[in-house]
Amino acid sequence: MQIENRRQRTPSQWACALLAAAALGAAAPAHADVERFAYTYGWQTPTKGEAELEIKHTQPKSGHFLQDSASVEYGITDRWMIEPYIVYNHSGGFKDVPDSTGSVDADDGGTGGGDGAAIFDPIRIGSGYRYGGFQVETRYRFGDYGYKKLQTSAYLEYEQLRREGNEVEGKLIFQYDPNESSDLVFNLITEQPLRKGAPAEWGYSFGATYLADKKSNRYWVGGEAWGNWSEKQHFIGPSVGGYIGKSTRLVGTYGFQTQGVGGDQFRVMVSQELN
């Protein structure tokens, strides 16, 4: 008798059930495929054919050597994506002079406190934007999304930057979402400069977010910590993000430097869905 009653639902009951199922079905993918951090990469990848324009602005506390990038993220399959970047820099009138090995410190913030000295001459050097190089990133995710499970993906990047030279970077990405409101993400990072005798560098990034608006899932708050063990440079700070339009996201993180040279660092990222 109870089974028969469940089958004989009214049209309004069926409509409510279908809407609830649709909402539950839409909640997990929306939670799974949105980047919520400025420095830390999440497990997610775009679906096949999905494209997104992404612009990043990174600025040290000193205000010199700003680095911006524009990229297009594209899903080759539902698990595999590619993202080419164009990088452009704003020197602020500073120029690093290479040391005896021919290298400069990309993280000295224009202070000259690293490998090379710094020259300030805004008239001759200028302070406008210049082409800084390019990067090509690819990611592959393993498994399917779910709460209370460890999710992993792999990241590989080739970069050719005017201030840092050629380099290959790899990441192992781990994400654990204890519930629909929270993300916990860890990246294990290795960087290998492509010059003779250059040692590999090891670093990390960690991010945690919490949805501030559970009804719409449009706004979140959290924090990030990242650094380079090889160079003994580390940052930690708050992060906020959310949608500023139907398909436009804004994420920002301010990093207080706890060790190293160059000072605090700030990054803001704007993402625009293209389809």
Side-chain angles (χ1 to χ4, degrees):
M1 185 68 178
Q2 291 178 344
I3 296 176
E4 185 176 348
N5 287 340
R6 285 199 296 268
R7 289 177 178 173
Q8 295 176 346
R9 288 176 175 170
T10 65
S12 61
Q13 288 175 323
W14 277 112
C16 291
L18 288 173
L19 286 172
L24 289 173
H31 184 70
D33 62 8
V34 174
E35 290 281 7
R36 301 191 187 277
F37 305 101
Y39 289 90
T40 306
Y41 283 81
W43 163 87
Q44 63 280 343
T45 58
T47 57
K48 183 178 180 179
E50 184 180 3
E52 186 171 274
L53 174 66
E54 187 176 274
I55 297 176
K56 293 181 183 178
H57 172 78
T58 305
Q59 180 172 333
K61 184 178 180 180
S62 66
H64 306 299
F65 292 130
L66 282 61
Q67 185 180 82
D68 292 351
S69 67
S71 64
V72 175
E73 182 182 86
Y74 181 78
I76 300 174
T77 70
D78 287 344
R79 297 182 180 274
W80 180 31
M81 57 80 70
I82 189 169
E83 185 172 7
Y85 291 74
I86 293 294
V87 178
Y88 41 101
N89 299 320
H90 189 289
S91 68
F94 276 82
K95 180 181 180 181
D96 267 343
V97 178
D99 64 7
S100 59
T101 66
S103 66
V104 297
D105 190 334
D107 299 315
D108 67 1
T111 65
D115 295 332
I119 295 176
F120 179 64
D121 188 346
I123 296 177
R124 294 185 180 181
I125 298 173
S127 58
Y129 280 95
R130 292 177 175 80
Y131 171 73
F134 72 90
Q135 299 167 294
V136 180
E137 164 203 328
T138 185
R139 271 184 284 166
Y140 185 88
R141 67 175 177 86
F142 304 95
D144 297 317
Y145 182 76
Y147 300 126
K148 297 183 179 180
K149 61 183 288 188
L150 186 64
Q151 299 154 134
T152 59
S153 57
Y155 168 113
L156 183 66
E157 178 185 273
Y158 171 77
E159 60 182 42
Q160 187 179 80
L161 302 179
R162 294 181 64 183
R163 298 190 63 245
E164 300 176 35
N166 298 355
E167 186 175 275
V168 174
E169 180 178 306
K171 290 185 175 81
L172 286 178
I173 300 168
F174 304 93
Q175 180 166 333
Y176 179 82
D177 293 355
N179 51 55
E180 63 182 7
S181 301
S182 306
D183 290 335
L184 300 173
V185 184
F186 177 77
N187 296 175
L188 177 63
I189 307 168
T190 182
E191 302 175 9
Q192 178 60 64
L194 298 180
R195 60 178 185 269
K196 187 176 180 180
E201 297 181 2
W202 291 89
Y204 68 94
S205 63
F206 172 79
T209 61
Y210 182 79
L211 289 175
D213 183 4
K214 296 181 182 179
K215 291 184 179 180
S216 65
N217 292 354
R218 294 179 64 84
Y219 309 103
W220 53 90
V221 295
E224 290 188 83
W226 69 97
N228 186 310
W229 288 309
S230 302
E231 295 185 351
K232 297 181 179 179
Q233 188 174 43
H234 305 280
F235 301 86
I236 188 171
S239 179
V240 295
Y243 282 86
I244 56 176
K246 184 177 180 181
S247 56
T248 306
R249 298 190 310 277
L250 179 66
V251 178
T253 297
Y254 188 93
F256 296 94
Q257 188 171 48
T258 60
Q259 186 179 13
V261 297
D264 300 347
Q265 194 174 108
F266 172 76
R267 174 176 289 177
V268 62
M269 179 174 70
V270 179
S271 303
Q272 174 64 52
E273 298 172 12
L274 300 179
N275 53 9

